[in-house]
Amino acid sequence: MMTDYHLSKRIMRPVLVKLGCSVALGAAALLSVPVAGTALQPIMDGAAFGVAHAAEEKKPKPPTRKTPAIRAKIFEKLNEAQVASEEKRYNDALKHLNELRDTSGRNALNSYELANLYNLYAFVYFTQEKYDLALKAYENVVKQPDIPVAMELNTKYTIAQLYFVSEDYKKGVDTLLEWFKFKDQLGEDPGANAYALLAQGFYQIQKLDLALKYIEVAIKDYQDRGKVPKEQWWGLQRFLYYEKGDTKRVIAILEETMKYYQKKAYWLQLSSMYNEMKRENEATAAMEAAYEDGLLTGDKEIVNMGYLFLQSEVPYKAAKVIDKGLKDGKVEASSKTLEVLANSWRQAQEVKKAIPVMEKAAAKSDKGELWSRLGSVYLDNEEFSKAEQAIENAFKKGDLKRPDNAYLVLGMARFNLKEYDGARRAFNEAKKSEDSKVYAENWLKFMENELARQEALKDDI
């Protein structure tokens, strides 16, 4: 007959197994790196360097601005600075830019030339990871009047990103909202990446409802276009639902994520979430999928796999997993782990395998509890003398959770050894506990009847 666990496993595997993923819960607020272009365009194109052309779409025409031209001599000097920066001669690049910036009189730069100058400054600083200086340079770009709309738009987006890099999330969000408003005025779609960036910003300033709203816009945008959402987007969405206490939604997001992204953490988190929803069989099946894919390598992970098998009433698998982990050196042979292994073998009706393991577990413990359990295992295997010795040792060490149970085992062991007085004393101690009183009294009656039967046999002889 197929158990609930095995049925659950068969249902789950087509969806989850072989995906090799897993989570720790958390939202990775990963930002795309601001990219500063360096392509200095020919002057006759009328395009600013460092600014990508927007795709031409049937949308409202952007407002036109009368932008000053870049003069040929200025263009040549800017190009020299650009070439130097591309060759990583940053000091030379900055020297060229400083000379241009400091010109005055008739050679003073117009607003569009200054915008391109500061755009190149920003690129040099950004490449050197001097983000504060890059940010100031980009801010100088948008301060210039009459620069092309596309240049202002793209620079504002980069400024927002740099605020995020510098962890000034409030300014980053505010700047990004200005950028969104600008895009709306132009009738342009901000795009999924911008919505995701805004969501990450709202997350950082603890406006979680807005963060969830915008990350879902980003994810839906990708899905509607047949694209796979970015892993960190699902991570943020998952975290936000976890914060809302919506475990069911967290599970659904994890299952979707794991179709495309393969990580051990996701299996571990999925198993944890199933357990939280009292879906123990699915929790076990998820963890087993990770185990079979060789993703569970740590001591705690392997032992936890064993616990889950025990929870799902498949003790033989629990024993095999832990035993293999011990033999492979991946699991520490601690007293607790050996106890779990022994109990697994015992529940799987493999008493002969349970005994040596429980002996090792008891030997490593300074408390009597494991000796008491060892006594029970010996009793199950009809090794009555060893059972008696183990229980006596348990009482010597002390700290027993259920001394009444230990007295019951001791009584049964002594009865089978025909140590009737000792057995009677043990059963009388056991019946002092309400939990064991009836069982102990039944044993006392059985023992007295057996002794009476033996006396009767003697009289007949």
Side-chain angles (χ1 to χ4, degrees):
M1 180 176 177
M2 187 176 292
T3 65
D4 289 342
Y5 156 73
H6 290 102
L7 180 61
S8 171
K9 186 182 174 187
R10 285 187 62 183
I11 293 171
M12 282 184 61
R13 288 192 73 82
V15 179
L16 299 177
V17 174
K18 299 304 177 187
L19 300 178
C21 311
S22 75
V23 147
L25 274 177
L30 300 177
L31 307 176
S32 57
V33 176
V35 177
T38 60
L40 189 58
Q41 301 294 331
I43 299 171
M44 62 283 294
D45 284 352
F49 78 87
V51 180
H53 286 288
E56 294 182 4
E57 299 177 6
K58 293 181 180 180
K59 292 180 179 178
K61 290 184 179 181
T64 57
R65 293 175 180 172
K66 189 176 181 181
T67 303
I70 301 179
R71 290 166 289 176
K73 288 185 178 181
I74 303 301
F75 180 88
E76 290 175 5
K77 291 181 179 180
L78 286 171
N79 190 55
E80 289 176 1
Q82 180 179 319
V83 170
S85 67
E86 290 172 348
E87 294 176 353
K88 298 183 180 180
R89 293 184 289 110
Y90 301 121
N91 289 336
D92 289 342
L94 291 173
K95 180 180 178 182
H96 289 307
L97 294 174
N98 290 340
E99 289 173 354
L100 276 173
R101 183 194 60 192
D102 296 337
T103 55
S104 59
R106 292 177 60 186
N107 293 322
L109 303 186
N110 63 41
S111 60
Y112 189 36
E113 291 167 342
L114 278 170
N116 280 280
L117 173 82
Y118 285 118
N119 196 41
L120 192 47
Y121 265 123
F123 173 73
V124 173
Y125 288 136
F126 180 82
T127 305
Q128 294 178 299
E129 298 184 1
K130 297 177 180 179
Y131 300 125
D132 290 343
L133 292 175
L135 179 58
K136 290 177 182 178
Y138 278 124
E139 288 173 338
N140 279 327
V141 172
V142 296
K143 285 179 182 178
Q144 306 310 314
D146 302 324
I147 62 174
V149 171
M151 187 179 200
E152 180 178 353
L153 188 67
N154 290 341
T155 304
K156 277 186 176 292
Y157 189 79
T158 302
I159 289 171
Q161 289 181 298
L162 282 172
Y163 276 131
F164 279 78
V165 171
S166 61
E167 299 184 2
D168 192 341
Y169 301 111
K170 180 64 169 62
K171 283 187 178 180
V173 168
D174 290 343
T175 304
L176 203 52
L177 289 173
E178 290 176 13
W179 181 86
F180 268 86
K181 186 176 180 181
F182 202 166
K183 291 286 281 187
D184 183 60
Q185 291 171 354
L186 297 174
E188 296 179 2
D189 179 18
N193 286 293
Y195 282 114
L197 183 60
L198 183 59
Q200 292 161 356
F202 278 128
Y203 161 73
Q204 292 291 348
I205 61 175
Q206 294 300 297
K207 292 188 177 181
L208 302 187
D209 287 339
L210 287 172
L212 182 57
K213 172 184 175 181
Y214 288 110
I215 199 62
E216 294 197 323
V217 170
I219 290 171
K220 186 176 185 301
D221 177 273
Y222 261 40
Q223 290 176 327
D224 287 348
R225 292 189 283 127
K227 297 179 68 175
V228 178
K230 295 180 181 180
E231 185 179 4
Q232 63 264 32
W233 296 359
W234 268 323
L236 178 56
Q237 182 193 36
R238 187 170 68 248
F239 173 79
L240 292 169
Y241 274 110
Y242 183 79
E243 286 292 287
K244 292 167 73 71
D246 193 341
T247 306
K248 186 176 180 181
R249 188 75 182 98
V250 171
I251 289 173
I253 295 167
L254 269 170
E255 290 174 339
E256 184 69 14
T257 304
M258 292 168 66
K259 293 176 183 178
Y260 307 99
Y261 299 103
Q262 304 183 6
K263 285 187 178 178
K264 175 174 72 174
Y266 295 161
W267 284 113
L268 301 180
Q269 188 178 356
L270 182 61
S271 180
S272 175
M273 292 296 99
Y274 280 144
N275 261 326
E276 195 168 309
M277 294 291 289
K278 307 300 181 184
R279 294 162 62 178
E280 290 87 357
N281 293 322
E282 288 162 290
T284 303
M287 191 71 84
E288 184 180 10
Y291 176 76
E292 289 179 354
D293 280 352
L295 298 173
L296 304 185
T297 56
D299 182 304
K300 292 182 179 179
E301 294 168 352
I302 294 172
V303 173
N304 188 46
M305 180 77 261
Y307 276 121
L308 286 172
F309 277 133
L310 284 175
Q311 179 179 275
S312 297
E313 299 180 357
V314 278
Y316 185 78
K317 281 193 172 185
K320 292 292 286 184
V321 166
I322 297 174
D323 187 53
K324 186 177 186 303
L326 287 165
K327 289 176 179 176
D328 292 346
K330 294 179 179 179
V331 173
E332 181 186 354
S334 66
S335 177
K336 183 63 179 176
T337 299
L338 291 170
E339 177 190 358
V340 175
L341 176 57
N343 288 336
S344 299
W345 283 128
R346 186 181 182 189
Q347 290 181 40
Q349 306 303 313
E350 297 278 357
V351 178
K352 289 185 178 179
K353 291 183 178 180
I355 289 174
V357 178
M358 186 60 82
E359 287 173 341
K360 291 178 182 178
K364 286 176 174 285
S365 177
D366 58 355
K367 296 179 181 179
E369 184 63 28
L370 289 186
W371 286 100
S372 177
R373 296 185 186 184
L374 177 60
S376 296
V377 177
Y378 282 138
L379 185 70
D380 289 343
N381 203 43
E382 298 184 358
E383 296 182 61
F384 305 120
S385 180
K386 287 185 177 181
E388 179 184 29
Q389 293 173 11
I391 297 299
E392 288 174 349
N393 199 23
F395 279 116
K396 287 178 182 178
K397 287 184 175 292
D399 201 22
L400 299 181
K401 293 178 181 179
R402 289 288 304 276
D404 53 313
N405 278 344
Y407 279 120
L408 285 172
V409 172
L410 182 60
M412 287 183 278
R414 286 174 173 172
F415 172 81
N416 283 282
L417 292 170
K418 303 185 184 310
E419 299 174 3
Y420 300 120
D421 289 340
R424 189 178 291 110
R425 288 194 300 272
F427 288 134
N428 282 326
E429 287 294 329
K431 76 176 186 178
K432 292 179 182 179
S433 167
E434 289 297 320
D435 293 327
S436 299
K437 183 176 181 181
V438 173
Y439 197 68
E441 288 177 342
N442 287 338
W443 259 101
L444 284 168
K445 289 178 183 178
F446 172 77
M447 186 173 68
E448 297 306 329
N449 290 336
E450 178 63 17
L451 291 174
R453 186 184 68 81
Q454 291 179 13
E455 286 299 322
L457 288 174
K458 288 179 181 179
D459 293 340
D460 289 343
I461 294 174

